[in-house]
Amino acid sequence: MITVNCSEVLPIQQELLIYVSDDIGAIPTMKRHEFVLSPIENDETIDQVEVTTSIRGYLDSIGQGKNFGVISKSETIFIKSINGEKMPGQAKPVHSIRSCCGL
């Protein structure tokens, strides 16, 4: 399991969860300021580098890739503001099948 801390990007937490879980093929669990990704099969593992890459891809797709960094520490991934900016309240969703179909 990998935890993604979204405390600095709450306006996009749901869209990010949908995008990443679909992109890497994992079962998501939403929590208050984070989400957890679990493997579909018990004997599988989730590649933390793959999750980090997927998060960066989403941030780039909404024009926030230069404002937020993605940091891995143990089994947790943090999304942190680089320059102190806050995530806009109404981030644009990614225009793909991932963002329209939901969970």
Side-chain angles (χ1 to χ4, degrees):
M1 290 192 319
I2 292 183
T3 301
V4 179
N5 184 299
C6 297
S7 59
E8 293 193 24
V9 293
L10 288 177
I12 64 163
Q13 181 179 5
Q14 286 183 311
E15 292 87 0
L16 181 63
L17 171 140
I18 293 166
Y19 181 90
V20 173
S21 64
D22 187 48
D23 192 36
I24 67 163
I27 299 170
T29 304
M30 179 78 84
K31 294 191 174 186
R32 188 166 186 211
H33 297 290
E34 62 190 20
F35 60 87
V36 177
L37 298 168
S38 303
I40 294 173
E41 298 291 329
N42 289 335
D43 60 341
E44 293 178 347
T45 59
I46 295 177
D47 184 353
Q48 200 160 356
V49 172
E50 210 176 317
V51 175
T52 302
T53 301
S54 183
I55 293 169
R56 285 187 179 126
Y58 181 80
L59 291 171
D60 286 342
S61 76
I62 63 169
Q64 293 295 323
K66 293 182 180 178
N67 296 327
F68 291 87
V70 182
I71 304 160
S72 296
K73 185 176 182 181
S74 187
E75 295 292 314
T76 303
I77 296 173
F78 298 88
I79 306 167
K80 296 288 191 182
S81 176
I82 294 172
N83 52 13
E85 286 190 36
K86 297 202 182 284
M87 180 61 64
Q90 297 293 326
K92 294 179 184 176
V94 174
H95 298 289
S96 73
I97 188 100
R98 294 180 184 134
S99 64
C100 73
C101 297
L103 291 174

